[in-house]
Amino acid sequence: MAVADTASSVPGADFFLKGESGRNTRGLLRLIILCTIAAAAIAARLFSVIRFESIIHEFDPWFNFRATKYLVANGFYKFWDWFDDRTWHPLGRVTGGTLYPGLMVTSGAIYHLLRFLTLPVDIRNICVLLAPAFSGLTAFATYLLTAEMSDSPSAGLLAAAFMGIAPGYISRSVAGSYDNEAIAIFLLVFTFYLWIKAVKVGSIMWGGLCALFYGYMVSAWGGYVFITNLLPLHAFVLICMGRFSPRLYVSYTTWYALGTLASMQIPFVGFLPVRSSDHMAALGVFGLVQLVGIAEWIRPQLKSQQFQTLLLTSVLVIFLVAFGGLVLLTVSGVIAPWSGRFYSLWDTGYAKIHIPIIASVSEHQPTAWPAFFFDLNMLIWLFPAGVYMCFRNLKDEQVFIVIYAVLASYFAGVMVRLMLTLTPIVCVAAAMALSQILDTFLVAKQPTEPSSAQSNGSAKGPSDSKDKLSSIIPESLRSTKSPLVGIYSYLSKSLITGAITCYLLLFVLHCTWVTSNAYSSPSVVLASRMPDGSQHIIDDYREAYYWLRQNTEPTAKVMSWWDYGYQIGGMADRPTLVDNNTWNNTHIATVGKAMSSREELSYPIMKQHEVDYVLVVFGGLLGYSGDDINKFLWMVRIAEGIWPDEVKERDFFTARGEYRVDDEATPTMRNSLMYKMSYYNYNTLFPAGQATDRVRGSKLPAAGPELSTLEEAFTSENWIIRIYKVKDYDNLGRTHQDATSFEKGNKRKKAGKRRGARVLRVD
Amino acid sequence: MPPRKPTSPSASHPASAVKTPQTTTRATQPKTTSRTSTTTPSIKNAQDAQQIALGVWNNYLNHTPQRVKLIDFFMAFLILVGVLQFAYCVLAGNYPFNAFLSGFSATVGQFVLTASLRIQTNPENKREFEKISHERAFADFVFGSMILHFFCVNFIN
């Protein structure tokens, strides 16, 4: 950091800064700076814990938390083959084989370590604070990676400081965000560091360590495919540039052989590394490296131009044949084609058309420009400069930075969520650019001017005697001297340094502001401001979940849209039908169909699935826009994908193509179960005829919907969560519609003796 | 693993291993060039190619140190085992696929690690691997093999 440089340029402290003790001082300073960065990284992530409470935030972390609790309570082996019968109700979920266990095992290990040290910490607190702790490690790993890249002593520390507080990374790693990314980014950066180290040194040990951390990364996050494709691409580009070296052979083959085996140990990954197209690049480059290695081995033994070309062509031919074989195998189906999630990165329109469930997630949208500036502030304009500087001094590791930067920029442009993988390289490249500037402008040392002191831009004017002296020296001699090119004026140095310092301070300010305002709000509790500025907390979610937990049977099945599956499982501890792990699209479509159909249709569906309670989220009273009516169209679309002739999206729009909930809503909309459940009894809150929906901003029809197959069981304080109980079959065997109308007594008045068309009884 | 034994002396006496091949390669450099230069202008027909292969083979036999030959023998053995496994897989089907994979990747991985050891201890590559002594290369090789075999044994169930 700048501190280190300014300290090293103070003239009076020569004893501490030169020689042996100087190295020690620098090491100590470096250590102190790194510890400070780690502390800042941790502290910046604690806003939500301090403001609200130590609680798990989003949807996905609730499952991770539940799995961790299971691991801690039952031990590793039971966790490894855990069949979870409390999710996906009729089906269940083989959890051990369908999750990445790295996160849970890490926090379980920390839990037991702290127990061993006689510090009994609750597992919830470990889970909440895991991401901040690992962000400190990420800063350290970034320091190591950048120190490998750049000769400058300050680049690593700058990169660590950037990585510690960059909002692009904080957004996924605040305290309470117990998601896979919490440890994955650390593993990503550290794996890259080990890879760079392996390529530089060419040792099996670094390659093996890289493979081990790659295996850890595979066990932690599905984004490991990024590494699986980036390292082969790096090797491939190096080969194409003619930079193949024995070091590359050693590091790449060691990494691939050990890393592939390591990744196959994870049950969720299984045989994918040999069976799926996502991993074929690594295999292909492995083969290519072997061929090139053999060719390079034979080449010095045959000193002929012709034979070299022969070898080169044979390598090329074998490569092409192998590539063709790969394509053939993919076409014939032996190797699985690209999975939908990855394919949608290339064909950006694919998900919207074919897999609505991927397109329905808000994180899978393209990124807007302001998001880059919001998440990375000044780093985003230093980033291209850093990449450009890599070209100026192109070594093996700089090639890696260039490739990583290009790929990650593309992916971050396609998907908001992948901003996360872009952040490390932006920090590294920006730190390299900035450290170059600082190295140039922060050195106060004046060069010992040779006799010909016509140095450019020098502040002190050359004296006359020196001028005379230089005129004596012949031109030929002068040209042999190295000219003094550089900036030696204190004014320009201090100006530039001051500007950079201002930018750095503004960056810190921006990061803190963004973290505090945008990324530190738990989604479980909604915070709002009262007119007098005091904070008002809306805690309807937990109110409703705890009602479920305490007032229903432990085996009561709850049907809700999949967004809330993990939270119901985690907080209410009740079995659910679908949850955020969207592995069975048809089952989700079933729930979507039940929500979007008339009661007569959805009641049998719910009965078939043994549903006891139905939970909907309704924000109409409070103006909470993320409610189920706004998500309703996705339910319809997903259901329509499976039953196109029973659920039609067109029926939910008015004749003019509007999506409305008021008087002009279509009959299909008003008869759908979701509409009825959301607005049931809602007009009783208002004077007659004045019921308004504050999210949609529309007046509701005077007569509210009536429910016959469900009864209202619970509605939270602000009407955000409404829970309905599914009625049992009618005692007399009537349909519920008949029963309710009989209760009301508004039918059969003048039915008389007329007999309906009935069929004969069949026994 | 019996073939690993012969590799160990190659690394345990690095000084001698360094010296001998260096001198020999220097001495034989002109000889190989002269041989190939006579044949290369016309490698269109198969006989010349055969001659070249023969020349390479003789060159290899004459100028490779004994320990490196042992490493090469081990690598050839690994290739043989791998080919046999693959042939059996093709003939008999791949029902316990994890068993096939772990066996096959054990041979591939061990081959690759041995090749890496051979590269690292090759005196011609001394410039590339300045920081790695021969003892270090061998210890790395053992480390890599241990990881490899742990994973293979774990994966074969």
Side-chain angles (χ1 to χ4, degrees):
Chain A
M1 251 178 88
V3 184
D5 279 320
T6 43
S8 67
S9 58
V10 173
D14 265 1
F15 173 72
F16 291 108
L17 303 168
K18 294 268 163 66
E20 181 69 21
S21 62
R23 198 171 334 119
N24 291 342
T25 320
R26 279 196 291 274
L28 184 69
L29 269 178
R30 200 160 286 171
L31 193 72
I32 292 172
I33 291 167
L34 277 176
C35 288
T36 318
I37 289 171
I42 292 171
R45 285 162 169 82
L46 297 182
F47 280 111
S48 60
V49 166
I50 291 165
R51 275 188 206 148
F52 302 100
E53 59 193 298
S54 167
I55 189 185
I56 308 282
H57 282 185
E58 300 280 333
F59 298 109
D60 282 8
W62 277 100
F63 168 74
N64 299 332
F65 178 48
R66 186 162 153 258
T68 313
K69 278 200 290 189
Y70 187 88
L71 168 70
V72 168
N74 295 302
F76 181 71
Y77 288 106
K78 278 207 166 162
F79 171 71
W80 202 251
D81 34 51
W82 171 29
F83 181 79
D84 187 4
D85 58 352
R86 291 176 79 77
T87 52
W88 296 91
H89 163 58
L91 309 168
R93 175 180 173 194
V94 191
T95 311
T98 55
L99 92 171
Y100 292 103
L103 182 70
M104 298 93 193
V105 173
T106 306
S107 42
I110 293 173
Y111 174 80
H112 286 297
L113 179 75
L114 290 178
R115 290 264 140 160
F116 177 72
L117 297 173
T118 66
L119 283 169
V121 181
D122 184 20
I123 187 67
R124 176 174 56 85
N125 285 321
I126 291 175
C127 292
V128 166
L129 296 176
L130 188 79
F134 266 86
S135 68
L137 288 178
T138 311
F140 182 63
T142 315
Y143 164 74
L144 291 176
L145 178 67
T146 319
E148 285 301 319
M149 297 292 177
S150 169
D151 303 326
S152 163
S154 62
L157 292 169
L158 271 175
F162 290 155
M163 194 65 198
I165 56 173
Y169 175 42
I170 285 189
S171 66
R172 306 300 307 233
S173 67
V174 288
S177 159
Y178 181 56
D179 214 341
N180 288 331
E181 290 93 335
I183 65 171
I185 296 302
F186 162 66
L187 293 171
L188 186 87
V189 177
F190 202 68
T191 311
F192 287 149
Y193 160 68
L194 291 170
W195 165 250
I196 293 300
K197 196 81 186 165
V199 170
K200 270 176 120 177
V201 179
S203 112
I204 300 180
M205 187 193 80
W206 288 108
L209 282 179
C210 179
L212 281 182
F213 269 86
Y214 170 71
Y216 189 13
M217 169 77 187
V218 173
S219 77
W221 194 35
Y224 74 91
V225 183
F226 184 58
I227 301 182
T228 322
N229 286 310
L230 193 60
L231 302 193
L233 189 63
H234 182 212
F236 184 69
V237 169
L238 285 182
I239 291 172
C240 288
M241 291 169 78
R243 285 165 169 268
F244 178 82
S245 64
R247 288 174 286 115
L248 184 68
Y249 179 89
V250 173
S251 49
Y252 185 77
T253 54
T254 314
W255 168 75
Y256 183 74
L258 299 180
T260 308
L261 266 174
S263 67
M264 286 196 293
Q265 313 292 320
I266 308 300
F268 194 21
V269 177
F271 298 138
L272 278 186
V274 290
R275 280 269 168 87
S276 109
S277 289
D278 310 343
H279 302 73
M280 279 306 129
L283 181 62
V285 173
F286 180 71
L288 183 68
V289 167
Q290 302 295 336
L291 290 178
V292 177
I294 292 172
E296 291 287 315
W297 177 62
I298 293 181
R299 192 162 67 159
Q301 309 192 14
L302 303 153
K303 291 278 175 186
S304 156
Q305 199 70 37
Q306 252 180 331
F307 210 79
Q308 279 180 25
T309 50
L310 193 77
L311 268 176
L312 218 64
T313 45
S314 70
V315 164
L316 216 64
V317 163
I318 294 175
F319 174 67
L320 285 178
V321 164
F323 188 73
L326 210 64
V327 171
L328 207 71
L329 280 176
T330 313
V331 169
S332 66
V334 178
I335 295 171
W338 290 81
S339 60
R341 270 166 213 269
F342 291 111
Y343 190 75
S344 60
L345 286 177
W346 304 112
D347 184 356
T348 44
Y350 179 79
K352 195 149 268 175
I353 301 166
H354 295 100
I355 328 167
I357 206 155
I358 291 181
S360 76
V361 180
S362 63
E363 283 176 334
H364 293 173
Q365 307 302 324
T367 319
W369 280 111
F372 284 101
F373 291 96
F374 190 70
D375 276 355
L376 300 163
N377 196 16
M378 64 176 267
L379 303 184
I380 199 65
W381 48 261
L382 282 172
F383 169 53
V387 175
Y388 167 71
M389 297 210 353
C390 289
F391 277 108
R392 286 180 48 197
N393 177 20
L394 204 61
K395 283 184 288 196
D396 288 0
E397 56 268 23
Q398 268 82 15
V399 175
F400 180 77
I401 291 215
V402 172
I403 295 168
Y404 185 2
V406 170
L407 265 188
S409 310
Y410 171 74
F411 288 140
V414 171
M415 218 183 251
V416 176
R417 192 183 176 179
L418 295 177
M419 187 72 108
L420 191 65
T421 53
L422 177 69
T423 309
I425 192 62
V426 168
C427 291
V428 170
M432 286 170 74
L434 202 58
S435 73
Q436 176 80 14
I437 296 173
L438 288 179
D439 286 351
T440 315
F441 285 95
L442 216 52
V443 179
K445 195 170 61 182
Q446 298 282 333
T448 48
E449 292 188 48
S451 48
S452 61
Q454 297 283 6
S455 61
N456 34 25
S458 166
K460 34 180 159 180
S463 62
D464 288 347
S465 60
K466 281 182 180 175
D467 245 342
K468 279 176 196 164
L469 219 122
S470 67
S471 61
I472 297 166
I473 299 170
E475 284 298 308
S476 61
L477 262 177
R478 253 174 90 180
S479 62
T480 51
K481 284 174 190 154
S482 61
L484 278 172
V485 178
I487 301 123
Y488 302 115
S489 127
Y490 283 116
L491 181 67
S492 54
K493 275 182 182 175
S494 55
L495 259 171
I496 297 288
T497 315
I500 295 288
T501 316
C502 282
Y503 276 126
L504 284 171
L505 290 175
L506 280 176
F507 175 69
V508 174
L509 220 61
H510 173 85
C511 289
T512 320
W513 179 81
V514 167
T515 313
S516 158
N517 285 307
Y519 293 138
S520 295
S521 46
S523 59
V524 177
V525 284
L526 309 170
S528 66
R529 295 260 168 220
M530 301 297 266
D532 60 345
S534 66
Q535 197 175 43
H536 176 61
I537 286 185
I538 296 153
D539 204 0
D540 280 30
Y541 275 99
R542 285 193 292 181
E543 185 190 349
Y545 292 144
Y546 277 83
W547 182 87
L548 268 180
R549 192 186 188 105
Q550 291 177 342
N551 297 295
T552 59
E553 290 286 315
T555 54
K557 283 88 189 168
V558 182
M559 181 174 91
S560 71
W561 190 233
W562 59 265
D563 292 9
Y564 317 106
Y566 279 159
Q567 286 191 343
I568 293 171
M571 287 195 251
D573 191 25
R574 291 292 171 267
T576 51
L577 257 68
V578 291
D579 63 27
N580 305 41
N581 168 268
T582 52
W583 64 275
N584 189 332
N585 199 14
T586 316
H587 209 52
I588 291 175
T590 309
V591 172
K593 187 186 173 191
M595 294 287 198
S596 55
S597 304
R598 289 179 302 126
E599 274 190 86
E600 297 88 56
L601 255 79
S602 54
Y603 184 70
I605 296 177
M606 292 192 286
K607 271 298 176 191
Q608 277 168 359
H609 292 86
E610 300 174 325
V611 175
D612 297 303
Y613 291 92
V614 186
L615 180 149
V616 288
V617 175
F618 173 65
L621 183 64
L622 213 65
Y624 170 59
S625 58
D627 66 350
D628 275 350
I629 296 282
N630 279 357
K631 291 174 188 167
F632 190 41
L633 282 178
W634 286 109
M635 304 185 203
V636 173
R637 274 172 210 152
I638 290 168
E640 191 180 8
I642 308 285
W643 295 281
D645 43 353
E646 292 180 60
V647 184
K648 290 190 187 68
E649 189 183 348
R650 186 66 196 84
D651 293 344
F652 292 86
F653 293 111
T654 59
R656 289 194 298 172
E658 291 168 318
Y659 179 63
R660 309 187 67 137
V661 293
D662 52 6
D663 279 319
E664 294 176 41
T666 59
T668 323
M669 180 72 190
R670 293 172 72 169
N671 285 324
S672 68
L673 190 69
M674 175 57 73
Y675 183 89
K676 284 184 172 179
M677 284 196 296
S678 292
Y679 293 111
Y680 184 64
N681 276 344
Y682 184 57
N683 49 5
T684 61
L685 279 180
F686 299 88
Q690 291 185 20
T692 46
D693 183 329
R694 286 175 62 184
V695 176
R696 264 67 58 179
S698 53
K699 261 185 156 31
L700 293 172
E706 287 181 358
L707 280 168
S708 52
T709 58
L710 303 172
E711 54 191 352
E712 187 176 355
F714 177 80
T715 295
S716 64
E717 187 189 351
N718 297 298
W719 288 58
I720 287 186
I721 297 215
R722 315 198 64 185
I723 300 171
Y724 292 87
K725 186 171 172 46
V726 180
K727 280 184 189 167
D728 208 343
Y729 289 115
D730 189 57
N731 277 340
L732 302 175
R734 302 167 293 182
T735 63
H736 285 287
Q737 282 72 33
D738 287 349
T740 27
S741 54
F742 179 77
E743 299 274 325
K744 285 188 171 176
N746 60 356
K747 216 188 163 193
R748 303 266 173 184
K749 277 281 161 64
K750 47 189 178 176
K753 299 278 190 295
R754 264 205 293 161
R755 287 170 186 272
R758 295 199 169 176
V759 279
L760 287 174
R761 208 168 66 186
V762 183
D763 286 317
Chain B
M1 288 203 349
R4 199 191 284 171
K5 234 186 254 167
T7 61
S8 56
S10 77
S12 58
H13 302 291
S16 60
V18 174
K19 264 178 200 163
T20 42
Q22 247 179 352
T23 49
T24 46
T25 41
R26 285 284 150 72
T28 53
Q29 209 73 341
K31 213 189 283 177
T32 50
T33 47
S34 65
R35 188 190 296 128
T36 46
S37 60
T38 51
T39 47
T40 39
S42 58
I43 46 163
K44 300 287 185 287
N45 47 1
Q47 204 184 359
D48 285 338
Q50 196 184 356
Q51 213 173 352
I52 289 171
L54 205 69
V56 171
W57 178 243
N58 285 332
N59 193 19
Y60 172 78
L61 282 186
N62 293 334
H63 306 299
T64 313
Q66 186 65 23
R67 299 186 188 105
V68 179
K69 272 184 192 162
L70 277 172
I71 291 182
D72 288 343
F73 180 73
F74 179 44
M75 283 162 68
F77 167 74
L78 283 170
I79 291 177
L80 183 71
V81 172
V83 167
L84 278 179
Q85 279 183 356
F86 195 78
Y88 183 76
C89 172
V90 168
L91 287 176
N94 61 0
Y95 160 57
F97 192 48
N98 58 335
F100 165 69
L101 269 187
S102 53
F104 189 68
S105 47
T107 53
V108 172
Q110 195 64 56
F111 175 84
V112 162
L113 288 175
T114 319
S116 300
L117 176 70
R118 190 189 192 282
I119 288 174
Q120 287 181 339
T121 50
N122 190 350
E124 281 168 25
N125 292 327
K126 197 161 174 44
R127 207 168 45 80
E128 294 277 352
F129 302 100
E130 275 169 357
K131 288 179 186 166
I132 300 173
S133 65
H134 289 192
E135 291 86 349
R136 164 78 191 278
F138 184 69
D140 280 358
F141 171 73
V142 172
F143 171 72
S145 305
M146 297 265 279
I147 299 177
L148 178 77
H149 284 93
F150 168 74
F151 282 140
C152 285
V153 169
N154 191 31
F155 196 57
I156 205 166
N157 273 338

mmCIF file of all heavy atoms in Angstrom, chain B residues 73-88:
data_model
loop_
_atom_site.group_PDB
_atom_site.id
_atom_site.type_symbol
_atom_site.label_atom_id
_atom_site.label_comp_id
_atom_site.label_asym_id
_atom_site.label_seq_id
_atom_site.Cartn_x
_atom_site.Cartn_y
_atom_site.Cartn_z
ATOM 1 N N PHE B 73 11.231 -47.583 -18.785
ATOM 2 C CA PHE B 73 10.650 -48.925 -18.749
ATOM 3 C C PHE B 73 9.386 -48.928 -17.912
ATOM 4 O O PHE B 73 8.378 -49.540 -18.273
ATOM 5 C CB PHE B 73 11.674 -49.901 -18.174
ATOM 6 C CG PHE B 73 11.163 -51.301 -18.106
ATOM 7 C CD1 PHE B 73 11.021 -52.057 -19.261
ATOM 8 C CD2 PHE B 73 10.791 -51.871 -16.904
ATOM 9 C CE1 PHE B 73 10.537 -53.341 -19.212
ATOM 10 C CE2 PHE B 73 10.300 -53.156 -16.844
ATOM 11 C CZ PHE B 73 10.182 -53.892 -18.008
ATOM 12 N N PHE B 74 9.445 -48.236 -16.791
ATOM 13 C CA PHE B 74 8.253 -48.144 -15.938
ATOM 14 C C PHE B 74 7.116 -47.467 -16.691
ATOM 15 O O PHE B 74 5.953 -47.892 -16.624
ATOM 16 C CB PHE B 74 8.614 -47.366 -14.673
ATOM 17 C CG PHE B 74 7.462 -47.180 -13.731
ATOM 18 C CD1 PHE B 74 6.602 -48.223 -13.433
ATOM 19 C CD2 PHE B 74 7.245 -45.955 -13.124
ATOM 20 C CE1 PHE B 74 5.560 -48.054 -12.559
ATOM 21 C CE2 PHE B 74 6.200 -45.787 -12.252
ATOM 22 C CZ PHE B 74 5.357 -46.830 -11.976
ATOM 23 N N MET B 75 7.438 -46.425 -17.440
ATOM 24 C CA MET B 75 6.393 -45.734 -18.190
ATOM 25 C C MET B 75 5.803 -46.634 -19.256
ATOM 26 O O MET B 75 4.578 -46.653 -19.465
ATOM 27 C CB MET B 75 6.956 -44.452 -18.811
ATOM 28 C CG MET B 75 7.119 -43.334 -17.804
ATOM 29 S SD MET B 75 8.208 -42.037 -18.345
ATOM 30 C CE MET B 75 7.279 -41.322 -19.649
ATOM 31 N N ALA B 76 6.647 -47.404 -19.915
ATOM 32 C CA ALA B 76 6.146 -48.346 -20.923
ATOM 33 C C ALA B 76 5.236 -49.385 -20.279
ATOM 34 O O ALA B 76 4.178 -49.738 -20.815
ATOM 35 C CB ALA B 76 7.320 -49.023 -21.620
ATOM 36 N N PHE B 77 5.653 -49.831 -19.104
ATOM 37 C CA PHE B 77 4.833 -50.790 -18.367
ATOM 38 C C PHE B 77 3.470 -50.186 -18.045
ATOM 39 O O PHE B 77 2.426 -50.837 -18.191
ATOM 40 C CB PHE B 77 5.586 -51.191 -17.093
ATOM 41 C CG PHE B 77 4.754 -51.929 -16.105
ATOM 42 C CD1 PHE B 77 4.400 -53.246 -16.327
ATOM 43 C CD2 PHE B 77 4.327 -51.312 -14.935
ATOM 44 C CE1 PHE B 77 3.623 -53.924 -15.411
ATOM 45 C CE2 PHE B 77 3.560 -51.991 -14.025
ATOM 46 C CZ PHE B 77 3.211 -53.300 -14.265
ATOM 47 N N LEU B 78 3.465 -48.916 -17.622
ATOM 48 C CA LEU B 78 2.191 -48.255 -17.300
ATOM 49 C C LEU B 78 1.312 -48.141 -18.534
ATOM 50 O O LEU B 78 0.097 -48.357 -18.464
ATOM 51 C CB LEU B 78 2.460 -46.869 -16.732
ATOM 52 C CG LEU B 78 2.931 -46.835 -15.281
ATOM 53 C CD1 LEU B 78 3.383 -45.449 -14.909
ATOM 54 C CD2 LEU B 78 1.815 -47.285 -14.372
ATOM 55 N N ILE B 79 1.939 -47.824 -19.660
ATOM 56 C CA ILE B 79 1.151 -47.739 -20.894
ATOM 57 C C ILE B 79 0.524 -49.093 -21.197
ATOM 58 O O ILE B 79 -0.662 -49.198 -21.534
ATOM 59 C CB ILE B 79 2.034 -47.280 -22.067
ATOM 60 C CG1 ILE B 79 2.440 -45.832 -21.881
ATOM 61 C CG2 ILE B 79 1.315 -47.450 -23.388
ATOM 62 C CD1 ILE B 79 3.358 -45.322 -22.955
ATOM 63 N N LEU B 80 1.323 -50.138 -21.031
ATOM 64 C CA LEU B 80 0.821 -51.490 -21.301
ATOM 65 C C LEU B 80 -0.377 -51.801 -20.413
ATOM 66 O O LEU B 80 -1.424 -52.273 -20.880
ATOM 67 C CB LEU B 80 1.943 -52.493 -21.067
ATOM 68 C CG LEU B 80 1.578 -53.943 -21.372
ATOM 69 C CD1 LEU B 80 1.450 -54.119 -22.875
ATOM 70 C CD2 LEU B 80 2.600 -54.893 -20.807
ATOM 71 N N VAL B 81 -0.231 -51.498 -19.113
ATOM 72 C CA VAL B 81 -1.329 -51.771 -18.186
ATOM 73 C C VAL B 81 -2.563 -50.983 -18.571
ATOM 74 O O VAL B 81 -3.687 -51.503 -18.595
ATOM 75 C CB VAL B 81 -0.886 -51.440 -16.741
ATOM 76 C CG1 VAL B 81 -2.077 -51.541 -15.803
ATOM 77 C CG2 VAL B 81 0.197 -52.375 -16.293
ATOM 78 N N GLY B 82 -2.343 -49.719 -18.926
ATOM 79 C CA GLY B 82 -3.475 -48.893 -19.313
ATOM 80 C C GLY B 82 -4.174 -49.420 -20.543
ATOM 81 O O GLY B 82 -5.402 -49.494 -20.589
ATOM 82 N N VAL B 83 -3.393 -49.820 -21.526
ATOM 83 C CA VAL B 83 -3.978 -50.354 -22.763
ATOM 84 C C VAL B 83 -4.743 -51.637 -22.466
ATOM 85 O O VAL B 83 -5.861 -51.842 -22.975
ATOM 86 C CB VAL B 83 -2.867 -50.591 -23.808
ATOM 87 C CG1 VAL B 83 -3.400 -51.427 -24.950
ATOM 88 C CG2 VAL B 83 -2.359 -49.272 -24.332
ATOM 89 N N LEU B 84 -4.175 -52.485 -21.621
ATOM 90 C CA LEU B 84 -4.868 -53.723 -21.268
ATOM 91 C C LEU B 84 -6.202 -53.425 -20.595
ATOM 92 O O LEU B 84 -7.230 -54.012 -20.927
ATOM 93 C CB LEU B 84 -3.990 -54.560 -20.335
ATOM 94 C CG LEU B 84 -2.932 -55.408 -21.022
ATOM 95 C CD1 LEU B 84 -2.116 -56.174 -19.992
ATOM 96 C CD2 LEU B 84 -3.590 -56.383 -21.988
ATOM 97 N N GLN B 85 -6.177 -52.496 -19.654
ATOM 98 C CA GLN B 85 -7.417 -52.144 -18.960
ATOM 99 C C GLN B 85 -8.447 -51.615 -19.937
ATOM 100 O O GLN B 85 -9.625 -51.983 -19.891
ATOM 101 C CB GLN B 85 -7.139 -51.080 -17.900
ATOM 102 C CG GLN B 85 -6.577 -51.645 -16.623
ATOM 103 C CD GLN B 85 -6.399 -50.556 -15.595
ATOM 104 O OE1 GLN B 85 -6.620 -49.398 -15.874
ATOM 105 N NE2 GLN B 85 -5.988 -50.937 -14.418
ATOM 106 N N PHE B 86 -7.979 -50.762 -20.848
ATOM 107 C CA PHE B 86 -8.914 -50.181 -21.789
ATOM 108 C C PHE B 86 -9.487 -51.255 -22.700
ATOM 109 O O PHE B 86 -10.692 -51.272 -22.987
ATOM 110 C CB PHE B 86 -8.215 -49.097 -22.598
ATOM 111 C CG PHE B 86 -9.167 -48.211 -23.334
ATOM 112 C CD1 PHE B 86 -9.840 -47.209 -22.651
ATOM 113 C CD2 PHE B 86 -9.410 -48.394 -24.675
ATOM 114 C CE1 PHE B 86 -10.732 -46.409 -23.318
ATOM 115 C CE2 PHE B 86 -10.300 -47.596 -25.343
ATOM 116 C CZ PHE B 86 -10.968 -46.590 -24.658
ATOM 117 N N ALA B 87 -8.620 -52.154 -23.137
ATOM 118 C CA ALA B 87 -9.088 -53.228 -24.011
ATOM 119 C C ALA B 87 -10.118 -54.091 -23.286
ATOM 120 O O ALA B 87 -11.160 -54.456 -23.843
ATOM 121 C CB ALA B 87 -7.904 -54.076 -24.470
ATOM 122 N N TYR B 88 -9.842 -54.373 -22.033
ATOM 123 C CA TYR B 88 -10.802 -55.178 -21.264
ATOM 124 C C TYR B 88 -12.122 -54.437 -21.127
ATOM 125 O O TYR B 88 -13.197 -55.045 -21.222
ATOM 126 C CB TYR B 88 -10.232 -55.489 -19.887
ATOM 127 C CG TYR B 88 -11.145 -56.365 -19.076
ATOM 128 C CD1 TYR B 88 -11.228 -57.729 -19.342
ATOM 129 C CD2 TYR B 88 -11.932 -55.837 -18.075
ATOM 130 C CE1 TYR B 88 -12.078 -58.523 -18.626
ATOM 131 C CE2 TYR B 88 -12.789 -56.623 -17.362
ATOM 132 C CZ TYR B 88 -12.859 -57.973 -17.636
ATOM 133 O OH TYR B 88 -13.704 -58.768 -16.934
#
